[in-house]
Amino acid sequence: MTAEIPGALRVAYKLLVNDRTKFTALVLGITFAVFLMIEMTSLFAGILSRASSTVINIGASLWIMDPSVQTVANTIPLPDYVLDEVRSIPGVKYAVPFYSGAALLKLSDGTYQAANVIGLDDSTLVGRPGLLKGKIEDIFAENGFLAVEDSEFYKLKGATLGSEFELNDNRGRIVGIAKVSSSGLFGVPTLYTTYYRALQYIPNTRFTISYVLAEPKHASDVTQIKARVAAAGYLALTKEEFTAKISDFYKYHTGIGTNMLLMTLFSFAVGLLISGQTFYTFILENIDKFGALKAIGAKGSALVTMILFQAAFVSLTGYGIGVGLCALVIWLARLQLPDYAAIITFLNLGVAFLMVVVIASISSYVGVRKVLRIEPFDIFRG
Amino acid sequence: MVNAAIQATQLNKWFGEGEARTHAVKDVSFEARFGEMLYVVGPSGSGKTTMLSMISGILRPNSGTVRIEDTDIWAITKDQLADFRLHKIGFVFQDYHLFPRLTTAENVAIPLILQDRPWDEAVREAVRNLEVVGLKNRAGLPPVKLSGGEQQRVAIARAIVSRPDIMIFDEPTASLDGDTGRNIVQFVRQEVLSEHRCIVIVTHDTRIYEFADRIMRMEDGRLAGFERGDGSLDAQ
Ligand SMILES: Nc1ncnc2c1ncn2[C@@H]1O[C@H](COP(=O)(O)OP(=O)(O)O)[C@@H](O)[C@H]1O
Ligand SMILES: [Mg+2]
């Protein structure tokens, strides 16, 4: 860095910003790309998070399942001896059965509504949700169910404490309204009840346990527990591993991941094309000015700094507006569509930022090459 | 004058290869002195601009040396040479190359800004120089709002703003009417030229010959001789 930079940067800034049309086109190109990239990846992140909502909401440390399980929703029932087997492993503090299954509710107005029913272990209620209304003990009351107030709650048509419904000719009664951190992906409301009531009310296959939930005595016991479970022919995953496995399923074994990836790359390419092309034209239009600066005595390094500054300024402005626009659109969409799944994660922001840096680098590389190559003599001759 | 401001020795420059090769400047040696206004004249294509570019550190000669004050300018590094141009040499280009996105005053301030002078101070200094070329009232406008002649005056103001030791003007009055051209060159002669400065001007404009100390004629890339400003041949 030479001491002449600040003045030169101010010149660079004015060259850039005072050319309103080009500046707007440059910023819009980046904004557009950032908006699309973040929107795409946020939507995907939202879907992934919802796909793992049960794992997130229950919060158990270890999930024991059939090795063929791909997502939390597609359960493969386990025989009861798996529970005993897990309980007998040294290092397991406790292990409980867990039920998750689909059910068809007949609401009080006579309409039908599909729902996800979760059965919590009767003696411990491991994984119980926080309650907005009602008392948790009432889950043991006759026909007691908790309704989850998530984005699907309205489908229960104004359910509140005391509301009743039918489930396979059994009566159900809402005794609590629960709050969970993540809504589900499948667009159905969720009800919590006890494990045994779930088994009684919902017809089942020969085996009944959806998952065995376990808590290790110490974090260091996890490896050993996993090995023992594996030896028995089953799979134990930490909640992080399970979430990752579910994410991987959606990313790699459904069309969603590929499409998202394509759309993100597409946004990137469009942004690169618009911004790169505009920046290149901008440099070309100013090439004789850069040449004149060189002739007057600006060093190559000063010119490079000017171009990098311009590229960085455009990119950051476009990035900022793009992120803001995205947040605004997601917020607006949520007002209209409670189911709208997008979440902006730091990873999304980071990925978009990285792509913007790549766009800016490619654009300025092209500009720098051009500017370093001009001969002041050609400028001098006119 | 004792010291040479510019000392060019056996300068040669050619462009292109084979059939297309042009020997633009051939074995040119001369001195420009401190305190002098040296004119370079000659037909179009005779190598004036090429020669000027070599003595101002913008175009590397194929052979020969250029000494300015005590520096052999083609023996120092690129960055050193850039710095040297910035601090020692002021240019008026054949085209003016003004920045359309800067104001006229900011354009004139460029050499000072590159020299690291504070922005506002540089712009104030620029406005003072615009005043001497008669354009103070245009200081805040973008150059595109100015006529060709006015833009040329802006370019002259930019070349002299930092009062460099060496000033190199390539046809500075080409698009000025007679009086304006004369007035500006007269001003430069009286107010800018001094004992320790030297000005080299390429021109066809006979109306300003009266301000020349010497006139150097080029023909077909060669130095054809010197004349006094009054037209008499000077053997030198
Ligand atoms: N970059 C270049 N490439 C090829 N030929 C050039 C180049 N610059 C100048 N010339 C040639 O060199 C000769 C001298 O040009 P120049 O110095 O511009 O002349 P003047 O300024 O006296 O009109 C001309 O024949 C011109 O065509
Ligand atoms: Mg010329």
Side-chain angles (χ1 to χ4, degrees):
Chain A
M1 290 264 167
T2 55
E4 80 212 35
I5 296 311
L9 288 193
R10 199 154 157 185
V11 171
Y13 173 81
K14 292 193 173 218
L15 290 186
L16 178 69
V17 175
N18 291 352
D19 190 346
R20 296 246 174 262
T21 325
K22 283 244 164 40
F23 182 63
T24 311
L26 280 166
V27 169
L28 282 186
I30 302 273
T31 300
F32 180 67
V34 165
F35 175 77
L36 282 182
M37 285 190 276
I38 295 185
E39 182 68 24
M40 288 299 141
T41 51
S42 297
L43 206 57
F44 194 39
I47 289 173
L48 292 185
S49 156
R50 288 193 173 198
S52 294
S53 60
T54 306
V55 183
I56 294 166
N57 293 335
I58 298 300
S61 301
L62 282 171
W63 292 66
I64 287 105
M65 66 199 79
D66 188 282
S68 313
V69 166
Q70 302 273 28
T71 81
V72 67
N74 297 332
T75 58
I76 300 173
L78 306 170
D80 287 352
Y81 73 76
V82 178
L83 179 59
D84 301 327
E85 182 81 29
V86 175
R87 281 177 170 155
S88 72
I89 299 173
V92 169
K93 193 157 133 200
Y94 62 77
V96 297
F98 177 78
Y99 179 87
S100 170
L104 195 59
L105 312 179
K106 189 175 182 194
L107 301 179
S108 52
D109 67 354
T111 58
Y112 286 91
Q113 169 64 48
N116 181 32
V117 172
I118 284 173
L120 301 174
D121 175 48
D122 293 62
S123 49
T124 59
L125 295 185
V126 163
R128 63 176 168 267
L131 289 188
L132 297 170
K133 285 182 199 161
K135 296 195 298 287
I136 190 72
E137 303 89 80
D138 291 341
I139 200 171
F140 298 114
E142 203 182 342
N143 301 331
F145 284 81
L146 311 176
V148 172
E149 193 181 302
D150 60 7
S151 56
E152 313 302 334
F153 180 63
Y154 72 97
K155 292 177 183 167
L156 294 175
K157 303 211 173 127
T160 180
L161 292 188
S163 299
E164 298 210 328
F165 55 87
E166 270 176 47
L167 205 177
N168 300 326
D169 298 331
N170 297 295
R171 187 160 295 279
R173 190 180 153 81
I174 305 290
V175 296
I177 306 292
K179 188 86 201 154
V180 295
S181 55
S182 177
S183 300
L185 178 63
F186 302 104
V188 296
T190 302
L191 297 175
Y192 281 75
T193 188
T194 62
Y195 180 74
Y196 280 106
R197 183 171 297 123
L199 296 195
Q200 280 166 20
Y201 284 26
I202 301 170
N204 279 295
T205 52
R206 187 154 67 96
F207 300 139
T208 51
I209 301 176
S210 306
Y211 296 94
V212 170
L213 307 181
E215 192 65 30
K217 284 185 181 137
H218 302 287
S220 55
D221 293 322
V222 170
T223 325
Q224 184 255 125
I225 297 171
K226 288 170 78 166
R228 286 285 302 268
V229 170
Y234 293 90
L235 178 66
L237 294 177
T238 64
K239 61 172 175 283
E240 292 79 15
E241 288 167 343
F242 196 15
T243 313
K245 184 186 170 108
I246 296 166
S247 294
D248 285 350
F249 174 77
Y250 281 95
K251 277 187 217 161
Y252 305 118
H253 301 288
T254 68
I256 306 175
T258 324
N259 285 328
M260 287 291 171
L261 186 70
L262 282 178
M263 285 303 287
T264 309
L265 287 179
F266 180 70
S267 326
F268 169 71
V270 169
L272 179 63
L273 261 157
I274 300 180
S275 307
Q277 174 62 38
T278 316
F279 196 66
Y280 187 64
T281 329
F282 170 76
I283 296 289
L284 278 191
E285 248 172 46
N286 282 293
I287 198 79
D288 67 309
K289 277 71 190 185
F290 283 108
L293 283 178
K294 214 171 179 178
I296 290 170
K299 291 195 193 69
S301 59
L303 298 180
V304 170
T305 314
M306 286 175 76
I307 290 178
L308 292 182
F309 173 80
Q310 289 170 333
F313 187 81
V314 164
S315 310
L316 289 181
T317 311
Y319 181 74
I321 300 177
V323 171
L325 198 64
C326 223
L328 182 73
V329 165
I330 291 176
W331 180 73
L332 285 177
R334 286 243 179 82
L335 289 183
Q336 293 302 312
L337 315 161
D339 287 354
Y340 197 67
I343 41 173
I344 300 181
T345 67
F346 284 113
L347 187 68
N348 302 151
L349 294 177
V351 166
F353 187 75
L354 218 79
M355 295 209 162
V356 167
V357 169
V358 171
I359 291 177
S361 309
I362 294 177
S363 306
S364 41
Y365 173 75
V366 175
V368 162
R369 267 175 57 119
K370 265 264 169 281
V371 165
L372 288 183
R373 278 189 181 174
I374 33 160
E375 279 299 331
F377 172 61
D378 297 329
I379 305 304
F380 196 75
R381 267 188 91 217
Chain B
M1 300 293 127
V2 204
N3 283 335
I6 305 170
Q7 187 175 35
T9 314
Q10 291 290 307
L11 284 180
N12 278 283
K13 184 71 198 179
W14 49 82
F15 296 103
E17 292 295 328
E19 291 277 290
R21 187 166 125 153
T22 319
H23 201 157
V25 171
K26 301 169 184 160
D27 293 328
V28 170
S29 300
F30 72 96
E31 281 184 8
R33 302 160 188 160
F34 280 116
E36 130 171 289
M37 213 166 196
L38 173 67
Y39 281 25
V40 180
V41 300
S44 172
S46 59
K48 305 182 298 294
T49 297
T50 307
M51 195 275 294
L52 225 51
S53 306
M54 290 191 289
I55 63 170
S56 55
I58 276 176
L59 180 68
R60 182 179 286 278
N62 291 102
S63 68
T65 57
V66 176
R67 240 170 209 293
I68 293 183
E69 300 179 354
D70 286 320
T71 307
D72 180 351
I73 64 166
W74 290 110
I76 58 181
T77 68
K78 231 177 151 177
D79 278 357
Q80 284 170 333
L81 182 55
D83 234 31
F84 187 87
R85 287 199 303 268
L86 180 59
H87 290 97
K88 296 284 185 189
I89 303 177
F91 303 94
V92 174
F93 306 108
Q94 244 171 305
D95 290 342
Y96 328 120
H97 299 292
L98 302 173
F99 293 83
R101 308 294 169 190
L102 301 183
T103 65
T104 297
E106 287 165 346
N107 265 283
V108 173
I110 289 275
L112 299 176
I113 289 166
L114 290 179
Q115 281 177 17
D116 248 355
R117 293 270 288 277
W119 186 277
D120 293 342
E121 188 189 313
V123 172
R124 270 199 303 280
E125 190 64 38
V127 173
R128 272 196 287 280
N129 280 273
L130 278 172
E131 193 169 3
V132 308
V133 296
L135 292 176
K136 193 184 179 190
N137 59 344
R138 300 282 197 277
L141 293 178
V144 283
K145 293 268 165 75
L146 276 55
S147 72
E150 286 173 329
Q151 291 187 33
Q152 188 150 40
R153 281 140 76 189
V154 175
I156 293 171
R158 180 173 66 184
I160 64 175
V161 71
S162 67
R163 295 294 184 271
D165 290 357
I166 312 291
M167 280 160 272
I168 309 258
F169 298 175
D170 202 352
E171 317 222 5
T173 59
S175 50
L176 301 182
D177 65 66
D179 279 350
T180 314
R182 277 191 83 249
N183 288 344
I184 289 175
V185 176
Q186 185 170 27
F187 169 81
V188 170
R189 163 106 220 173
Q190 282 168 1
E191 304 297 325
V192 181
L193 187 61
S194 74
E195 289 295 286
H196 52 88
R197 296 201 180 114
C198 169
I199 301 177
V200 181
I201 301 180
V202 165
T203 188
H204 294 294
D205 188 354
T206 50
R207 295 166 300 188
I208 59 169
Y209 275 25
E210 62 182 287
F211 301 110
D213 290 300
R214 290 186 301 155
I215 298 172
M216 177 172 128
R217 183 169 297 281
M218 288 190 72
E219 265 161 32
D220 192 25
R222 288 185 198 283
L223 202 166
F226 284 87
E227 304 157 30
R228 286 244 172 254
D230 57 13
S232 67
L233 209 66
D234 179 353
Q236 208 226 325

